[in-house]
Amino acid sequence: MSSTEVSRIEDVLRHLRLLQPLPGDPDRLAPVSPDAAAAELLGSSEWQIRELQQAVNEVRTRMLSLMPTYFEGRRQRNQMEAFDLITDVDTIRALLDEHLLRARAEMLTVQPGGARPPEVLDTVRNSNVAALDRGVRMRTLYQHTARSDLVTSAYVSEVTAKGAEIRTTDELIDRLIIYDREVAFLPEQNLPDPGRGAVIIREPNLVAFMCSVFDHMWQGALPFQPGTSAPEPLADEVKASILRLMANGYKDEMVARRLGMSVRTCRRHIAEITEELKATSRFQAGVNATLSGLVQPTSGD
């Protein structure tokens, strides 16, 4: 090798601490074992890393020590701030995401209106699966008409495989979401654009009442398990609900709205029902069904 090449190799080895001067004779170089060279080369960096790790651990420990104070403060704040009205959609979504992320035990949901919009399911899928993975129990109520939607069924298949429980019923109250039986979200009713605002309720007695309402509806609902045959009474329940509403004088549009189906689908069912009852009109079909004892009108409808 040329002297230039030898000098370059010497510089590299000395930089890596693999070649060092002999004690008492700096003009002579001797090889050093790689482990000793590594210890000398990386010693200061390892020390800095240990110092940083220790600092990180100290900060984390101090911050986590504030958790009991934070949760106690939040509990007191929730009692003082029992209700909030939020009219900004982005703020509502952010609050829903935050409460789901903080949920510890349970999430109860009522979703009326039949099939769920695909874009909504895409938005909530990952966060719901993450909550299920960390042990949050999820129970959701849909209307029977959601069963015929392929996108909704695919979503239900995915989340039920993770442990979610989903049932359907004929009619539902308005949309409702409850986290850990502590905080409830209801749609605001008095805005010019209904459904865009939300009322956040933290008052314990009122939240407990809404949980009781949910549990009552849950007991009367049918399990939604895509891929299995639908329960036999399902079609009869939908028809009975249509008949009951018809007997009470509801228009087609209102029947469809209350049962979470399109007006076109509702009118097809009504046509089938009137034919079965040998009626000449929608109202007569409702009356005939009532007279024959198939349905009983209720004063609350």
Side-chain angles (χ1 to χ4, degrees):
M1 289 184 290
S2 65
S3 59
T4 302
E5 183 69 10
V6 171
S7 296
R8 186 189 67 80
I9 293 174
E10 178 185 337
D11 291 340
V12 171
L13 294 176
R14 293 185 67 162
H15 177 73
L16 296 176
R17 306 294 195 276
L18 291 170
L19 198 62
Q20 297 185 20
L22 286 173
D25 191 357
D27 293 332
R28 296 184 63 189
L29 300 175
V32 177
S33 66
D35 57 340
E40 182 179 349
L41 187 65
L42 302 176
S44 60
S45 297
E46 289 180 337
W47 179 83
Q48 292 176 1
I49 291 173
R50 284 194 297 270
E51 289 289 309
L52 287 173
Q53 187 63 52
Q54 183 178 352
V56 168
N57 291 337
E58 289 178 356
V59 171
R60 179 178 288 111
T61 300
R62 290 176 182 175
M63 298 300 289
L64 292 180
S65 70
L66 298 175
M67 291 294 286
T69 303
Y70 168 76
F71 281 115
E72 176 61 21
R74 190 180 72 176
R75 185 186 65 81
Q76 295 179 3
R77 186 171 64 253
N78 287 348
Q79 292 179 348
M80 293 185 294
E81 302 173 0
F83 303 93
D84 277 322
L85 173 60
I86 309 296
T87 58
D88 180 72
V89 175
D90 291 335
T91 301
I92 295 170
R93 290 173 179 166
L95 287 171
L96 289 170
D97 291 341
E98 178 185 354
H99 280 82
L100 178 58
L101 188 62
R102 295 205 314 245
R104 305 183 302 276
E106 186 179 44
M107 176 182 174
L108 309 176
T109 308
V110 177
Q111 296 287 4
R116 306 292 294 134
E119 62 275 11
V120 172
L121 296 179
D122 288 340
T123 301
V124 303
R125 177 180 284 105
N126 290 338
S127 56
N128 285 351
V129 169
L132 289 165
D133 286 342
R134 68 173 187 270
V136 176
R137 183 187 184 191
M138 286 189 176
R139 289 190 289 160
T140 302
L141 283 169
Y142 291 150
Q143 290 184 264
H144 289 323
T145 47
R147 292 175 178 264
S148 60
D149 181 68
L150 295 178
V151 175
T152 302
S153 295
Y155 167 78
V156 171
S157 295
E158 182 176 351
V159 295
T160 52
K162 291 286 187 176
E165 302 168 71
I166 298 179
R167 296 185 180 184
T168 64
T169 187
D170 53 352
E171 290 188 71
L172 289 173
I173 60 174
D174 215 331
R175 183 164 287 107
L176 170 66
I177 303 175
I178 305 174
Y179 297 97
D180 288 335
R181 296 182 177 257
E182 294 177 353
V183 181
F185 284 73
L186 287 172
E188 209 283 328
Q189 303 293 331
N190 298 316
L191 292 177
D193 187 2
R196 293 186 63 85
V199 179
I200 305 175
I201 302 172
R202 303 183 184 88
E203 204 288 316
N205 294 296
L206 186 52
V207 173
F209 172 76
M210 288 187 286
C211 290
S212 297
V213 171
F214 179 93
D215 290 335
H216 177 75
M217 292 189 295
W218 182 261
Q219 292 300 322
L222 298 174
F224 186 0
Q225 297 175 325
T228 62
S229 57
E232 289 298 329
L234 183 58
D236 292 338
E237 282 195 14
V238 174
K239 287 186 178 181
S241 299
I242 293 175
L243 282 168
R244 176 172 54 79
L245 295 173
M246 289 167 59
N248 282 276
Y250 283 98
K251 301 294 184 182
D252 296 351
E253 292 78 7
M254 182 57 70
V255 174
R257 179 180 176 184
R258 291 191 58 161
L259 298 182
M261 63 179 66
S262 68
V263 176
R264 182 177 180 181
T265 300
C266 179
R267 286 175 175 162
R268 186 178 71 250
H269 286 308
I270 291 173
E272 294 172 355
I273 292 170
T274 53
E275 183 178 353
E276 291 175 5
L277 293 173
K278 297 180 172 58
T280 58
S281 68
R282 179 185 61 81
F283 184 74
Q284 184 185 5
V287 173
N288 289 351
T290 302
L291 294 174
S292 63
L294 294 176
V295 293
Q296 295 294 327
T298 60
S299 58
D301 279 329

